Amino acid sequence: MNNAVECRSLTRSFKGNAKQQAIIALDNIDLDVREGELFGLLGPNGAGKTTLIKILATLLLPSSGKVTVLGYDVEREAHKIRPRINMVSGGEFSGYGLLTVRENLWMFSQFYGIPTRIAKQRIDELLHDFELADKADAKVRTISTGQRQRMNVVRGFVTDPDLIFLDEPTLGLDVNSSRTIRDYIRRWVREQNGKTALITTHYMMEAEELCDRVAIIDRGRILACDSPCNLKKQVQRDAVFTLETTQFADLDSIGHISGVKGYTGETNGERQKIRIVAEEESVLAEVIQVIAGKGGKVISLTKVESTLEDVFLQLVGRGLI
Amino acid sequence: MIDWRLNLRAVIGRAYPRVIGSFREPSWLFFDIFLPLLGIAAFAFYYQALGAPSVFIGFVILGGAMTAYWLNVLWSMAAQFYWEKEVGNLQLYLMAPMSRMSVLAGMALGGIFFTSVRALSTLALGLLIFGIEIEITSPISLLVVFFLTLFALYGMGMMFSSLYLLYGRGVWHLSSVFQEPIYFVSGFYFPVKALGFWVSLLASIVPITLGLDAMRQLIFAGQETMGFLPVSVEIVVLILLAVVFIYGARVALNFMENLGKREGRLTLRWQ
Ligand SMILES: Nc1ncnc2c1ncn2[C@@H]1O[C@H](COP(=O)(O)OP(=O)(O)OP(=O)(O)O)[C@@H](O)[C@H]1O
Ligand SMILES: [Mg+2]
């Protein structure tokens, strides 16, 4: 099977300003995305996800390394890549507010040379699939943020790309809109041959339920890359707990206990909810001791099934968001 | 190899919002026609008070109408990419398979249409209100000069928009800095010849200077003496300007795009 994307020793840095040193957004990355795959990039803010997508979308050059998209080199053969890709970013405000939803979508399709008749037909179908048909003739500046976001996703699919980049496509959307978008992406990849989607997200659930494979990326490095199921197996050996405690002084101290691989904390009124990935169950004794030492009291303790979030906790050492 | 069909579609696609925009915002239409008329009226009354021949008022009306193109080039061509970058359109344009020149050409064609609605209305209303008689000696030359002027002028706009591609908010100031002096130097409200040979020559870099000068000679018969250069010379210079600017736009756009891809400045917002 062919690879839709291949990165070899890809590094991308940005010049810092006078005081700052250069930022290394991508650090010596090797990555393959197979044709026909729904691939997820999961990582915290600033991890380098958008930078990677921009390079793949021919908008940014690598500082070093070799990158091919659909078999073509991103530096020298961008013109062969462009007709076959598209990209949608969460929260983008593209297009012209004066135009209607349908007109905007038509305009963008023209940049790919799609005959108007075909474009119009696809637009109508997609607007229907994304539950936007009743907004087709509304001016873009009058539609809501979520409707706009769905329109953007439609824009990405109108050109019938072979490879689509979706940079946080469900950013800030309600449950229903997110599901509509996820369902469409899944069907789009599954029901056609050789269509590839690369999606970035902050939402663990999204990556877990949607993607064939996920790469976990942090500080410009890929920490793991496998199917959600295999990734979870990695942590199965570990003990994952959730603790509910009263408020106490210093949550960070948990991270310093040896044997704790990662944790997240969430304050809920008087209560503190903590999720811990530990090497073994015996570490728990010390955890409880440390909490007591800081003036906290453990209210409940549960051992849980590991999720993708725990993989992330273990690898990155801190939670997302 | 250039895919002409794709690029033709792209040009039309990019021109579309501007063409449609000229009808969807009737309130702009009012201001865009009414305000230039006010400016024209001020000069017209001034010339009348001085007892200048009525052809002078005709000059002013033509200049006032052409102002619309100059403003359009400054604000909707030169400064355009900055705005497109802010809303995220620029990266979508650059990611598409079309030629970058198609984006510029679409912007220019749309802008010309959008502005022509205004400029022609201003011209017609102005001539009507002040009862100016025109005598077109050679309609063909007039059309040639008019379109050449627009070609060269929008070519200049295309070049500026490429050069401005990577700038931030500074673009706004640059455009404002250009706006006023050109009004004066290009002779929107008087024959440019009045400024003397060297100033006129310098002003001729802005295509509207020679375009206006030639059009005035062609619309108001018998006024050739007020012209800066013979019309035929002006036509040749306008052709040269158009070629230089459009070629310059291409080179600048290529250069800036590559620089932007290397430095990561094409897609940066809120810089
Ligand atoms: N054009 C640029 N110029 C300078 N630095 C940049 C540029 N683009 C990205 N960076 C830096 O590169 C790093 C990675 O940014 P990137 O946008 O790829 O992160 P991300 O994973 O998409 O984060 P988020 O989840 O917040 O979208 C950050 O430190 C960012 O500041
Ligand atoms: Mg991002």
Side-chain angles (χ1 to χ4, degrees):
Chain A
M1 192 180 300
N2 293 326
N3 284 328
V5 171
E6 275 182 26
C7 305
R8 293 287 170 271
S9 313
L10 165 61
T11 296
R12 172 71 219 200
S13 53
F14 293 105
K15 260 199 288 225
N17 52 31
K19 273 179 233 151
Q20 246 178 336
Q21 54 188 33
I23 300 160
I24 299 179
L26 294 173
D27 190 0
N28 207 18
I29 279 186
D30 288 304
L31 179 74
D32 288 341
V33 176
R34 296 176 201 132
E35 218 170 74
E37 196 166 42
L38 212 172
F39 192 94
L41 277 175
L42 191 62
N45 291 140
K49 305 181 294 294
T50 301
T51 304
L52 178 56
I53 284 199
K54 295 234 164 100
I55 290 174
L56 299 177
T58 74
L59 291 168
L60 190 66
L61 291 175
S63 303
S64 68
K66 186 171 160 55
V67 179
T68 62
V69 171
L70 299 168
Y72 299 112
D73 186 282
V74 288
E75 281 182 67
R76 286 176 289 107
E77 299 172 304
H79 60 284
K80 291 188 176 153
I81 298 173
R82 288 183 181 136
R84 298 175 56 195
I85 60 168
N86 212 329
M87 175 183 79
V88 177
S89 319
E92 72 177 54
F93 264 79
S94 58
Y96 300 95
L98 206 66
L99 298 185
T100 66
V101 169
R102 195 183 267 131
E103 287 170 333
N104 249 304
L105 292 167
W106 170 81
M107 180 186 80
F108 281 110
S109 75
Q110 294 312 288
F111 302 153
Y112 290 75
I114 297 170
T116 295
R117 192 177 44 83
I118 296 173
K120 285 195 164 149
Q121 193 186 333
R122 277 190 203 157
I123 289 167
D124 283 340
E125 284 167 16
L126 283 163
L127 287 178
H128 177 265
D129 288 341
F130 283 86
E131 288 156 28
L132 270 177
D134 57 326
K135 291 288 172 191
D137 296 312
K139 295 216 179 90
V140 169
R141 64 166 172 232
T142 67
I143 64 178
S144 78
T145 318
Q147 290 162 345
R148 191 172 189 130
Q149 181 59 15
R150 274 179 281 156
M151 176 188 80
N152 293 338
V153 177
V154 171
R155 176 184 60 64
F157 286 107
V158 158
T159 62
D160 191 30
D162 291 326
L163 169 59
I164 191 163
F165 304 109
L166 300 154
D167 194 357
E168 300 180 42
T170 57
L171 183 74
L173 290 183
D174 67 25
V175 182
N176 266 323
S177 299
S178 306
R179 187 177 310 123
T180 308
I181 290 179
R182 278 201 293 269
D183 287 349
Y184 187 86
I185 297 170
R186 192 183 294 118
R187 269 188 290 125
W188 187 81
V189 175
R190 298 277 178 277
E191 291 173 9
Q192 300 180 90
N193 242 333
K195 298 281 184 189
T196 311
L198 198 153
I199 175 170
T200 79
T201 179
H202 286 128
Y203 307 127
M204 296 289 179
M205 284 300 292
E206 190 163 277
E208 189 166 347
E209 72 164 71
L210 197 60
C211 300
D212 298 318
R213 285 196 306 145
V214 174
I216 294 180
I217 173 170
D218 184 40
R219 299 196 176 100
R221 288 167 190 270
I222 291 183
L223 303 178
C225 177
D226 212 328
S227 67
C229 184
N230 284 342
L231 285 173
K232 277 190 288 184
K233 275 188 198 141
Q234 285 186 15
V235 271
Q236 225 103 75
R237 279 173 276 118
D238 299 312
V240 183
F241 297 97
T242 56
L243 288 159
E244 205 173 356
T245 69
T246 56
Q247 289 282 11
F248 63 97
D250 182 14
L251 191 62
D252 288 346
S253 54
I254 291 178
H256 300 143
I257 301 169
S258 75
V260 170
K261 288 180 161 180
Y263 72 97
T264 49
E266 190 185 318
T267 312
N268 191 354
E270 294 286 283
R271 301 282 162 86
Q272 186 94 261
K273 222 174 154 186
I274 307 166
R275 191 178 181 100
I276 296 175
V277 179
E279 267 165 19
E280 47 185 29
E281 289 185 21
S282 61
V283 176
L284 209 56
E286 197 182 340
V287 171
I288 295 170
Q289 211 174 3
V290 166
I291 291 173
K294 302 282 178 188
K297 207 154 73 184
V298 177
I299 296 163
S300 72
L301 175 105
T302 331
K303 182 158 199 271
V304 292
E305 279 291 304
S306 59
T307 65
L308 206 51
E309 187 160 6
D310 302 314
V311 182
F312 194 88
L313 272 181
Q314 184 203 37
L315 290 169
V316 181
R318 63 200 145 90
L320 263 184
I321 307 160
Chain B
M1 213 183 47
I2 296 174
D3 181 344
W4 287 103
R5 214 182 291 187
L6 156 66
N7 282 296
L8 192 63
R9 289 210 167 94
V11 170
I12 294 170
R14 182 59 193 89
Y16 182 77
R18 293 191 161 186
V19 172
I20 283 296
S22 45
F23 301 113
R24 290 228 171 122
E25 294 284 350
S27 61
W28 296 356
L29 214 60
F30 172 75
F31 283 107
D32 289 358
I33 294 165
F34 183 68
L35 291 181
L37 275 177
L38 273 184
I40 290 167
F43 275 88
F45 291 135
Y46 183 63
Y47 281 133
Q48 264 174 353
L50 287 178
S54 77
V55 78
F56 262 75
I57 299 174
F59 275 25
V60 170
I61 293 169
L62 187 63
M66 293 300 283
T67 313
Y69 292 106
W70 172 239
L71 291 181
N72 187 247
V73 161
L74 268 189
W75 297 106
S76 299
M77 288 295 294
Q80 183 71 10
F81 274 169
Y82 167 70
W83 182 82
E84 305 268 27
K85 183 164 66 176
E86 290 296 294
V87 297
N89 285 339
L90 185 67
Q91 57 175 354
L92 298 180
Y93 293 161
L94 294 178
M95 189 182 64
M98 64 182 156
S99 147
R100 283 81 188 91
M101 288 304 276
S102 298
V103 186
L104 288 177
M107 260 158 61
L109 278 183
I112 287 173
F113 182 92
F114 180 87
T115 311
S116 294
V117 175
R118 290 148 174 74
L120 289 177
S121 313
T122 306
L123 186 67
L125 277 174
L127 293 177
L128 211 71
I129 292 170
F130 294 98
I132 305 298
E133 300 212 349
I134 54 174
E135 191 190 334
I136 300 170
T137 42
S138 158
I140 307 246
S141 318
L142 181 63
L143 278 181
V144 168
V145 168
F146 176 69
F147 281 109
L148 269 179
T149 306
L150 291 188
F151 248 70
L153 184 64
Y154 279 82
M156 188 175 92
M158 285 159 82
M159 193 172 90
F160 278 150
S161 76
S162 311
L163 289 174
Y164 283 12
L165 188 57
L166 303 182
Y167 285 82
R169 285 178 203 287
V171 168
W172 251 234
H173 305 305
L174 260 170
S175 276
S176 329
V177 164
F178 276 124
Q179 183 174 325
E180 295 302 323
I182 300 298
Y183 263 156
F184 180 70
V185 148
S186 286
F188 280 99
Y189 295 120
F190 50 83
V192 69
K193 197 179 181 181
L195 292 173
F197 181 80
W198 290 109
V199 177
S200 305
L201 192 72
L202 210 67
S204 300
I205 293 174
V206 180
I208 212 154
T209 309
L210 290 183
L212 256 181
D213 197 68
M215 277 190 279
R216 281 171 174 155
Q217 295 183 51
L218 290 166
I219 291 184
F220 305 103
Q223 297 304 318
E224 290 81 1
T225 49
M226 302 250 251
F228 168 49
L229 297 169
V231 172
S232 53
V233 176
E234 295 184 325
I235 286 179
V236 172
V237 177
L238 282 174
I239 292 174
L240 284 177
L241 285 175
V243 170
V244 167
F245 282 136
I246 292 174
Y247 182 74
R250 204 188 131 95
V251 172
L253 191 52
N254 252 331
F255 177 79
M256 288 305 200
E257 187 188 346
N258 281 326
L259 189 70
K261 277 172 79 172
R262 223 174 312 124
E263 296 192 347
R265 282 161 62 187
L266 285 177
T267 55
L268 195 64
R269 287 184 256 164
W270 313 117
Q271 60 181 352

